Amino acid sequence: MESNASIPQTGQQRERSAARAQEAEEKQQDQAQTAAPRGPLQTDRGVTTVEETVVAKIAGMAAREVPGVYDMGNAMRRAFSAVTDRIPNSQTNVTGGIGVEKGETQAAIDVTVVVEYGASVVEVGNAIRRNVIEQVEKATGLEVIEVNVNVVDVHLPDEDDEQSGGEKRSSDLR
């Protein structure tokens, strides 16, 4: 009896055999990918999770460090902060003005700020983006895929006098 190995295969048989081999290879790759850790937070010994509030606090602190940032958040949040700042022993809300969308290994962050008059909005926005990405990635191991900066106002130097009630008029000067 002759062996089947010596009988030449048809083109259709060769295609089926190649397709089966390719499917088996893809299945092995899928199994290897699902078993392998997907980032620094997923290891073969367990998974570390980071809540969105943690990312928001780190991003808020990083944005506040940038020169040219006067305040964080929209007008409503800033008004609320002005009231809570007057309460003894109250803590500053560092997550104000920060929005976070987080997956298992990535995060997207929205930052809402008030820029000081005279500061370049472009430079402040780029500095916020760089600092937030650096601090969040270093602290959490998450990949920051985007940081959107929304500048909602410009703080003018004379606004401090008006807000503190120390508005001076030329008739009051001696």
Side-chain angles (χ1 to χ4, degrees), residues 67-82:
V69 172
Y70 177 77
D71 203 357
M72 303 283 296
N74 59 23
M76 183 64 110
R77 201 223 54 92
R78 292 192 320 269
F80 181 73
S81 284

Side-chain angles (χ1 to χ4, degrees), residues 41-42 49-50 52 100-108 142-143:
L41 296 173
Q42 294 84 20
T49 58
V50 179
E52 286 184 0
V100 175
E101 291 181 35
K102 187 192 75 64
E104 286 184 28
T105 60
Q106 297 178 325
L142 292 169
E143 175 190 9

Side-chain angles (χ1 to χ4, degrees), residues 167-174:
E167 187 175 344
K168 301 273 186 204
R169 295 192 184 124
S170 59
S171 60
D172 294 341
L173 299 175
R174 295 184 192 239

Side-chain angles (χ1 to χ4, degrees), residues 115-116 118-125:
V115 174
E116 292 177 354
S120 166
V121 172
V122 173
E123 289 176 12
V124 171

Side-chain angles (χ1 to χ4, degrees), residues 59-75 77-78 94 96-99 109-116 119-129 132 147-155:
M61 291 299 294
R64 281 174 170 73
E65 292 174 351
V66 174
V69 172
Y70 177 77
D71 203 357
M72 303 283 296
N74 59 23
R77 201 223 54 92
R78 292 192 320 269
V94 296
I98 302 291
I109 302 167
D110 296 324
V111 181
T112 304
V113 296
V114 176
V115 174
E116 292 177 354
S120 166
V121 172
V122 173
E123 289 176 12
V124 171
N126 287 336
I128 289 170
R129 195 169 288 111
V132 167
V147 175
N148 299 309
V149 179
N150 182 21
V151 178
V152 294
D153 201 358
V154 174
H155 176 260

Side-chain angles (χ1 to χ4, degrees), residues 26-46:
E26 288 174 359
K27 187 175 181 180
Q28 282 180 333
Q29 287 176 352
D30 287 345
Q31 288 174 347
Q33 286 176 352
T34 56
R38 294 172 300 240
L41 296 173
Q42 294 84 20
T43 68
D44 56 350
R45 294 184 172 224

